[in-house]
């Protein structure tokens, strides 16, 4: 019975992908990353790079899951907190016009490394980060796109939340190419 259900899900997913206008793409850009709740810190400029799939359900609506390597963290006097994630956002895109869209969706981040002043501090951080993305995009042409996105962390970064709770805040500007 489980095999029949899994086969039906696979066939349905394959049928959905084939019935839609689907494009694969790559993207990359800069981040302005900070950690909410961390006093005496400021944003740092980092980068992100990854891939995406855009499933257009209609002229006005699309779903865009992504897989993105992202550097995040913050700076403070005398050092920085450097966090690297594999982020998996799933964006709902509403096309206001032919080329301009607004976006919203959840994101899960998997912590790959955490360093403070060059020392490994990953044991003090939660390995999973949940966030909410809000943004806008502009299609320069059929293949090239620009995105502006804000990721608001919803879960605590630090394991010990006795005194403070830290959360990711990231503003991203991306350039992408869809095939």
């Amino acid at each position: 019975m489980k095999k029949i259900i899994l086969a039906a899900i696979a066939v349905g997913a394959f049928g959905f992908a084939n019935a839609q206008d689907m494009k694969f793409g790559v993207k990359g850009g800069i981040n302005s990353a900070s950690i909410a709740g961390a006093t005496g810190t400021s944003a740092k400029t980092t980068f992100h790079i990854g891939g995406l799939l855009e499933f257009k359900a209609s002229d006005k609506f699309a779903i865009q899951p992504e897989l993105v390597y992202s550097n995040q963290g913050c700076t403070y006097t005398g050092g920085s907190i450097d966090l690297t994630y594999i982020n998996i956002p799933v964006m709902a895109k509403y096309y206001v016009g032919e080329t301009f869209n607004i976006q919203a969706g959840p994101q899960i981040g998997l912590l790959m490394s955490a360093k403070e002043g060059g020392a490994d501090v990953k044991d003090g951080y939660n390995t999973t980060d949940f966030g909410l993305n809000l943004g806008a995009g502009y299609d320069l042409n059929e293949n090239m796109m620009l995105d502006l996105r804000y990721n608001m962390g919803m879960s605590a970064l630090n394991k010990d939340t006795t005194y403070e709770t830290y959360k990711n805040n990231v503003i991203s500007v991306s350039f992408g190419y869809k095939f």
Side-chain angles (χ1 to χ4, degrees):
M1 185 64 164
K2 287 181 185 179
K3 288 181 182 180
I4 293 171
I5 293 171
L6 289 174
I9 291 170
V11 167
F14 182 77
F16 175 79
N18 284 333
Q20 310 305 314
D21 179 15
M22 181 179 76
K23 289 188 175 182
F24 166 77
V26 293
K27 66 183 277 185
I30 59 172
N31 294 337
S32 176
S34 62
I35 297 178
T39 57
T41 65
S42 58
K44 71 183 228 172
T45 302
T46 63
F47 74 95
H48 63 274
I49 189 166
L52 60 94
L53 286 173
E54 182 184 58
F55 299 95
K56 272 196 125 176
S58 69
D59 288 342
K60 294 285 186 185
F61 185 73
I63 298 292
Q64 183 171 297
E66 301 175 359
L67 184 66
V68 180
Y69 176 85
S70 182
N71 282 83
Q72 297 170 199
C74 65
T75 62
Y76 57 88
T77 304
S80 67
I81 297 173
D82 302 304
L83 307 173
T84 58
Y85 285 91
I86 298 293
N87 287 329
I88 307 166
V90 178
M91 304 302 292
K93 295 170 68 174
Y94 178 75
Y95 281 85
V96 178
E98 282 188 40
T99 58
F100 182 74
N101 64 77
I102 54 175
Q103 310 169 7
Q107 173 176 293
I108 185 169
L110 307 172
L111 183 66
M112 304 307 292
S113 70
K115 296 186 189 272
E116 186 171 345
D120 185 355
V121 292
K122 188 175 177 183
D123 289 344
Y125 287 82
N126 290 313
T127 57
T128 306
D129 180 44
F130 296 98
L132 175 64
N133 289 322
L134 302 171
Y138 183 78
D139 292 339
L140 298 168
N141 59 37
E142 188 176 311
N143 300 101
M144 294 186 288
M145 64 179 208
L146 292 173
D147 278 346
L148 174 65
R149 193 176 292 171
Y150 171 64
N151 170 253
M152 176 177 52
M154 305 297 283
S155 60
L157 297 177
N158 50 318
K159 286 183 179 177
D160 181 4
T161 58
T162 306
Y163 301 106
E164 297 173 307
T165 300
Y166 305 135
K167 295 180 180 181
N168 275 315
N169 279 321
V170 183
I171 297 173
S172 300
V173 177
S174 304
F175 173 79
Y177 189 88
K178 295 183 270 188
F179 300 95

